[in-house]
Amino acid sequence: MLTLNLNGKDHSLDVPEDMPLLWAIRDVAGYSGTKFGCGMGLCGACTVHVDGQATRACVTPVSVAAGKKITTLEALHADPVGQALQAAWLELGVAQCGYCQGGQLMTATALLKGNPNPDEEQIESAMAGNVCRCGTYNRIRAAIQVAARKLREGKA
């Protein structure tokens, strides 16, 4: 039995220690906002925060995350940075099919929490591991800049 702290609540899960964190979050704990993409940690659709770090849940064994704070897309609305990013996503109409957007938002939130004023190169580097089949990269970068500016100006 492992205990995961998901979005501030402890969950006791009867799962194998080597189960990917993604399946523990989605199938056992029932948080379906985290998506399965490539299953190899290459596309970013499964991104969650583990102790504030953007982490690929599909390649992280659940035992590695036990005892740490795990944040999923479902809790992003309660975070001021997450709120600013979600508002910017809507303002700029970033999402097309939307499948990757949860992972994109989680990675962008981790970026802005660690660097509230990223330049283009830093945004590009932080987001490089998140794949969008619809090709919304320009709008994603623009939304991150809008959110960062509004947070700095206290308008978010």
Side-chain angles (χ1 to χ4, degrees):
M1 188 74 73
L2 292 172
T3 300
L4 293 183
N5 184 289
L6 292 165
N7 301 330
K9 294 181 182 175
D10 284 338
H11 296 263
S12 294
L13 306 177
D14 187 14
V15 298
E17 291 189 1
D18 62 346
M19 172 184 269
L21 178 60
L22 173 64
W23 302 128
I25 291 171
R26 282 187 60 85
D27 293 352
V28 182
Y31 292 88
S32 61
T34 306
K35 303 297 183 200
F36 175 73
C38 66
M40 298 183 290
L42 302 173
C43 75
C46 66
T47 303
V48 297
H49 296 170
V50 176
D51 284 344
Q53 298 296 312
T55 302
R56 302 297 193 250
C58 70
V59 293
T60 302
V62 69
S63 60
V64 170
K68 299 177 180 175
K69 290 185 172 190
I70 303 161
T71 305
T72 69
L73 183 65
E74 286 86 349
L76 213 56
H77 71 283
D79 182 300
V81 174
Q83 289 174 1
L85 283 161
Q86 289 175 320
W89 245 245
L90 291 172
E91 179 182 331
L92 299 180
V94 171
Q96 286 190 7
C97 84
Y99 195 82
C100 71
Q101 298 302 314
Q104 302 276 2
L105 283 163
M106 294 303 291
T107 301
T109 300
L111 167 64
L112 292 186
K113 284 179 168 263
N115 179 0
N117 191 21
D119 61 27
E120 283 286 329
E121 189 173 303
Q122 291 166 326
I123 293 171
E124 188 74 28
S125 176
M127 301 304 293
N130 287 78
V131 177
C132 174
R133 290 182 178 186
C134 301
T136 62
Y137 299 110
N138 290 337
R139 291 196 304 250
I140 290 169
R141 286 190 295 271
I144 292 169
Q145 291 171 331
V146 165
R149 180 176 40 80
K150 287 186 176 181
L151 286 164
R152 285 191 308 272
E153 295 172 351
K155 295 179 179 175

